[in-house]
Amino acid sequence: MQLFHIDADKVRVKWNNLELYSVPELLSQLRKVLRMKKWDKIWIQFSDSKWTTRYELSIQNWTDKDLSGEIISSQTFSFPEKNISMLIAMPNKREKAELIVQKLTEIWIQNINFRVSEHSIIRQWNEKKAERLDKISHEAVEQSRWTQLPEIRFLKSENELKDFVNWKNVIIANMNWIPYWELAKNESNDLCGVIWPEGWFSEKDLKLFDNAKIVDLWENVLRIETASIVLWWLLKNM
């Protein structure tokens, strides 16, 4: 059954009915791509600050923008208590950022943060590209049946970066350094995995992470998009 993740302000639940407002793209997909009809079933989910609610819905009525249906069943999913974030140097191609967002969402990340490093070629955050990343994350949530849409941010300044990592247990992935996995397992603070820029960190970059732990990641030198996936999976399963 097809799952759709919808913004909470577009959903209204009343008794055993659910109504969606201003969702023309969803309706176009239902009609033109999935060829759905009245009484067909779909999953609709939306999140607030603490949990996600997922409804099994039987389609009743729709217009060009709105949809209503009968609720068959529902589930509630709470968010993990421990937050794990990824802080990734902006890749040298925007397509790599898209791949990172897609794959990290599929394996259930909560926060994806990009930043400009000294070696970054792309140094501006394009709003249209940001909208595309948001769309990619929505599609990945729906495809993977995940319950949480990740927050995607771009940290524009050193102060913003310092505020972000201040209360986190920061882990920088590297090759052939002393491993700190056991130490990180016992930390109570939220975890933040940091992925290096192309060409590794400059001295200025490293000074921003004075209290970070540098850990073994892989024997080989990994591309930034591969390293992002590997590090996140290791942190998630610690």
Side-chain angles (χ1 to χ4, degrees), residues 28-213:
S28 177
Q29 185 175 357
L30 289 177
R31 288 167 167 157
K32 298 178 181 179
V33 179
L34 299 175
R35 306 288 184 180
M36 287 196 156
K37 306 178 295 296
K38 188 175 181 179
W39 309 123
D40 283 345
K41 297 175 184 177
I42 57 176
W43 276 323
I44 297 292
Q45 71 178 25
F46 61 92
S47 303
D48 59 19
S49 59
K50 294 182 179 180
W51 53 71
T52 292
T53 305
R54 178 181 295 175
Y55 292 97
E56 181 183 0
L57 195 70
S58 175
I59 299 171
Q60 289 182 322
N61 298 294
W62 54 24
T63 65
D64 290 338
K65 295 183 179 180
D66 307 328
L67 178 146
S68 64
E70 180 184 359
I71 297 172
I72 299 171
S73 64
S74 65
Q75 294 174 277
T76 301
F77 305 89
S78 59
F79 296 159
E81 291 184 9
K82 194 166 188 176
N83 190 291
I84 305 177
S85 303
M86 290 292 289
L87 180 60
I88 304 166
M90 196 64 190
N92 57 13
K93 294 182 180 178
R94 296 192 188 277
E95 291 79 7
K96 290 186 177 183
E98 294 177 5
L99 178 63
I100 289 169
V101 167
Q102 182 190 62
K103 298 309 176 186
L104 291 186
T105 303
E106 285 180 13
I107 54 177
W108 303 357
I109 197 169
Q110 296 146 291
N111 296 278
I112 305 173
N113 303 273
F114 292 101
R115 70 178 185 90
V116 171
S117 71
E118 276 210 313
H119 294 158
S120 294
I121 295 173
I122 299 174
R123 309 190 69 84
Q124 298 294 325
W125 191 243
N126 185 302
E127 291 303 322
K128 287 187 177 181
K129 292 295 182 182
E131 290 177 6
R132 174 158 174 76
L133 291 181
D134 183 65
K135 183 177 181 180
I136 288 171
S137 68
H138 266 84
E139 292 173 349
V141 162
E142 295 169 354
Q143 181 273 325
S144 64
R145 308 291 172 87
W146 178 220
T147 59
Q148 187 176 0
L149 192 68
E151 180 182 8
I152 303 172
R153 297 174 58 199
F154 182 73
L155 306 180
K156 300 177 182 179
S157 67
E158 288 186 13
N159 288 335
E160 218 176 345
L161 174 61
K162 289 177 180 178
D163 288 343
F164 175 75
V165 301
N166 194 33
W167 300 103
K168 291 179 170 60
N169 180 31
V170 179
I171 296 177
I172 299 177
N174 187 32
M175 289 70 68
N176 302 320
W177 284 60
I178 300 173
Y180 283 93
W181 293 116
E182 290 302 320
L183 181 61
K185 279 184 182 180
N186 298 324
E187 286 285 346
S188 59
N189 288 346
D190 291 341
L191 290 174
C192 177
V194 179
I195 295 296
W196 59 87
E198 311 282 348
W200 189 235
F201 293 95
S202 68
E203 291 186 10
K204 182 179 178 182
D205 281 333
L206 282 175
K207 288 179 180 178
L208 299 172
F209 303 102
D210 288 337
N211 297 319
K213 301 169 184 66

